[in-house]
Amino acid sequence: MSKAGPPKSHPLFVRITHWINALAMILMIGSGWRIYNASPLFDFTFPREITLGGWLGGALQWHFAAMWLLVINGLVYLIYGLVTGHLRASLLPLSPRTVWADTVAALRLKLDHTTGRYNAVQKLLYLGVLALGVLVVLSGLAVWKPVQLWWLAALMGGYEGARLVHFFCMSGIVAFVIVHLALVFLVPATFLPMITGRAPAPKTNEANE
Amino acid sequence: MKRDKSLIAATLKDIAPDLKRIERRLFLRQSLSLGALTMLSGCDLGSGNAVQGALDAMSKWNDGVQAALFSQTRLAKTYAPSDITPNFPFNAFYTEAEAPVINGKTYKLQLSGKITDKKPWSIADLRTLPQESQITRLICVEGWSAIGHWGGVPLHVFLDRIGADKTAKYVGFKCADKYYSSIDMPTALHPQTILALDYADEPLPTPLGYPLRIRIPTKLGFKNPKFITEIFVTNDYPGGYWEDQGYNWFSGS
Ligand code: HEM
């Protein structure tokens, strides 16, 4: 991987929108699970203790309040990221070849981690979760307004189709979060820079190589 | 900008134990706040705390957004007879066995509020008005949905006939089962909003609201009250059985 390019650690706008998004996601997922329980799509429900809202009405209130936080914050991130070139600089270029190479390197534990500069696997995962984020919002809007936003609902296979899309996007995001948190626990030095924006002590990086 | 890396590294090394502790504390605080959040959510609606106030305010804001999004000419999708859901589900805040059984021969629909002609209506009277039928999807706030075949009097026709004040804000409904709800005037005047008398070309069966319910394919199921005994027109926000407990009032589709 090239050594030139993106900043040493995370720009302020990334850090702020990241943590607002984390909060919004916790609220959306927690309330979404409670909404799911009112009429489960599949043969399971979520344990009450890990849901948000107490009852269906409360969960819906959380869901439809936090969606504004999620969407406005997401738009700020995307627009700012596009305008400043941050998205392009940190998430592109991406090719199957580099993804493959970095996957192999990671499995051999030969992949180095430089805070604020992403390898191809990370790029793929980050782009993937961003796409899921857009899709979970679009499918959510389709489920919320299948008549007024009929074209959106039609794109998702109608109300019932949109419900499934919405659920699978949530599942994908939760899977991402699990991997994401597991990696932070494995490489704890990545945690503070997401708050301070400063690169961690070089020693930690060496230890990981 | 070049910083002295070794210096920073040294300083970081010195404070590393502190950083570790802060890091752990941050994690701890995060998990704590997650727990606190779930507890907050366990609070009763209407307990008057700040979080609940904010949620209520957002729900009002969402009423406005939905009213702005609502189009009086946009129609809900209609379906073919073959799409109809077999055994249309019963749903209420009580069991099916407790559903009120109303005598359709003596039944009269009462009218009140901003209406010129408040004479009560019998079912036979209502059947003399123009009838419409529709095969539409009813979407429940719980998430499930069902396609059904409804017939009856378009509400806008009825409101015209009784001289309702169409500049008023709300149309409200009172029901034999103590249920009540209300809708905005634009939705009341939507062509697919009907006072339903029939299901599948037969008088409504009791579980679906005999003798009269409202069918609004542009609103969630709980905004489609059954066993209606009174309709009123008003400018004073009438709320509703579920709405007063926290369901979003507009609840449009
Ligand atoms: C603008 C953004 C969003 C909107 C408008 C939205 C809208 C909705 C609506 C209307 C429902 C109710 C469906 C039902 O009654 O079954 C729902 C359910 C749900 N939402 Fe969202 N949502 C949004 C974002 C999210 C996000 C970000 C997540 C999680 C990552 C999420 C997770 C869920 C889950 C798990 C359910 C329950 C699924 C079901 O039973 O159908 N939503 N959402």
Side-chain angles (χ1 to χ4, degrees):
Chain A
M1 268 179 56
S2 102
K3 290 273 172 193
K8 295 215 166 45
S9 183
H10 314 285
L12 185 63
F13 97 90
V14 169
R15 283 176 282 138
I16 293 177
T17 51
H18 174 269
W19 289 113
I20 293 178
N21 184 62
L23 172 68
M25 277 295 177
I26 289 170
L27 298 177
M28 292 311 277
I29 293 169
S31 56
W33 287 354
R34 181 62 191 83
I35 298 170
Y36 170 95
N37 283 356
S39 178
L41 283 161
F42 304 103
D43 205 14
F44 70 93
T45 55
F46 295 94
R48 215 191 138 74
E49 302 74 50
I50 56 165
T51 66
L52 178 65
W55 71 297
L56 175 60
L60 287 164
Q61 283 198 333
W62 277 106
H63 213 66
F64 297 141
M67 74 178 180
W68 293 99
L69 185 66
L70 180 87
V71 168
I72 292 171
N73 182 64
L75 285 177
V76 168
Y77 170 80
L78 287 178
I79 292 170
Y80 203 94
L82 287 173
V83 170
T84 59
H86 167 84
L87 279 176
R88 208 176 39 142
S90 53
L91 298 179
L92 295 177
L94 185 61
S95 69
R97 206 176 48 79
T98 53
V99 171
W100 176 248
D102 283 356
T103 306
V104 172
L107 292 180
R108 289 192 185 144
L109 302 177
K110 286 239 166 80
L111 194 62
D112 68 324
H113 181 279
T114 313
T115 305
R117 208 173 62 219
Y118 307 133
N119 63 57
V121 180
Q122 281 179 302
K123 287 182 185 176
L124 183 71
L125 288 180
Y126 290 152
L127 281 173
V129 80
L130 283 178
L132 284 178
V134 171
L135 207 55
V136 81
V137 167
L138 292 180
S139 57
L141 288 172
V143 176
W144 192 39
K145 294 285 153 270
V147 176
Q148 308 309 324
L149 306 179
W150 58 273
W151 44 274
L152 197 56
L155 264 174
M156 308 266 165
Y159 172 76
E160 295 291 352
R163 242 188 116 187
L164 286 172
V165 172
H166 200 58
F167 186 86
F168 288 128
C169 288
M170 179 281 295
S171 310
I173 291 171
V174 169
F176 168 87
V177 169
I178 290 171
V179 173
H180 192 63
L181 290 183
L183 290 177
V184 174
F185 274 102
L186 283 177
V187 194
T190 55
F191 182 67
L192 266 192
M194 202 60 212
I195 295 174
T196 62
R198 260 172 263 137
K203 194 166 171 292
T204 342
N205 266 332
E206 279 154 26
N208 277 315
E209 273 178 359
Chain B
M1 186 182 64
K2 277 241 153 73
R3 283 198 229 147
D4 186 339
K5 269 201 202 151
S6 56
L7 189 70
I8 295 178
T11 329
L12 272 175
K13 210 154 105 197
D14 290 338
I15 61 167
D18 288 318
L19 279 183
K20 270 258 156 56
R21 219 173 308 135
I22 292 172
E23 196 171 311
R24 217 172 310 133
R25 218 178 303 147
L26 274 169
F27 265 116
L28 193 67
R29 202 182 312 145
Q30 263 192 334
S31 27
L32 272 182
S33 54
L34 189 60
L37 256 160
T38 13
M39 280 196 296
L40 263 182
S41 60
C43 287
D44 287 353
L45 280 176
S47 62
N49 64 51
V51 174
Q52 192 51 56
L55 290 176
D56 289 341
M58 284 309 292
S59 193
K60 285 238 168 59
W61 158 258
N62 282 328
D63 283 341
V65 171
Q66 294 173 91
L69 214 55
F70 179 79
S71 154
Q72 229 166 59
T73 51
R74 196 171 294 124
L75 299 182
K77 185 175 170 182
T78 55
Y79 293 83
S82 57
D83 297 325
I84 292 172
T85 307
N87 302 318
F88 200 92
F90 167 85
N91 201 27
F93 60 93
Y94 46 80
T95 66
E96 187 164 343
E98 297 167 288
V101 177
I102 296 172
N103 182 343
K105 301 239 155 50
T106 55
Y107 167 92
K108 291 261 179 172
L109 172 66
Q110 306 296 320
L111 302 177
S112 64
K114 300 169 88 62
I115 291 171
T116 350
D117 184 359
K118 298 198 179 83
K119 155 186 91 68
W121 286 66
S122 70
I123 293 301
D125 296 337
L126 286 168
R127 288 203 182 274
T128 64
L129 294 177
Q131 309 282 307
E132 284 265 357
S133 98
Q134 57 172 255
I135 301 178
T136 48
R137 182 187 294 277
L138 180 143
I139 297 174
C140 180
V141 66
E142 293 167 356
W144 57 268
S145 71
I147 296 171
H149 180 188
W150 306 92
V153 185
L155 184 59
H156 69 93
V157 170
F158 185 67
L159 290 178
D160 268 342
R161 190 60 171 264
I162 60 179
D165 175 1
K166 289 193 276 184
T167 66
K169 284 192 193 150
Y170 308 105
V171 177
F173 308 92
K174 293 182 191 168
C175 310
D177 54 4
K178 302 273 164 34
Y179 192 76
Y180 59 103
S181 189
S182 58
I183 59 173
D184 52 299
M185 187 59 79
T187 299
L189 300 176
H190 186 276
Q192 287 174 316
T193 299
I194 62 176
L195 280 173
L197 297 160
D198 296 328
Y199 185 80
D201 293 325
E202 299 286 340
L204 292 172
T206 289
L208 296 187
Y210 182 81
L212 185 71
R213 81 172 306 172
I214 186 134
R215 177 67 193 117
I216 314 177
T218 57
K219 285 209 189 288
L220 293 179
F222 78 92
K223 303 291 290 188
N224 292 237
K226 307 183 274 192
F227 318 104
I228 294 174
T229 53
E230 181 175 333
I231 295 181
F232 59 100
V233 175
T234 178
N235 279 321
D236 301 323
Y237 174 71
Y241 178 88
W242 288 115
E243 295 88 329
D244 293 350
Q245 299 175 58
Y247 280 1
N248 172 260
W249 177 74
F250 195 93
S251 283
S253 281

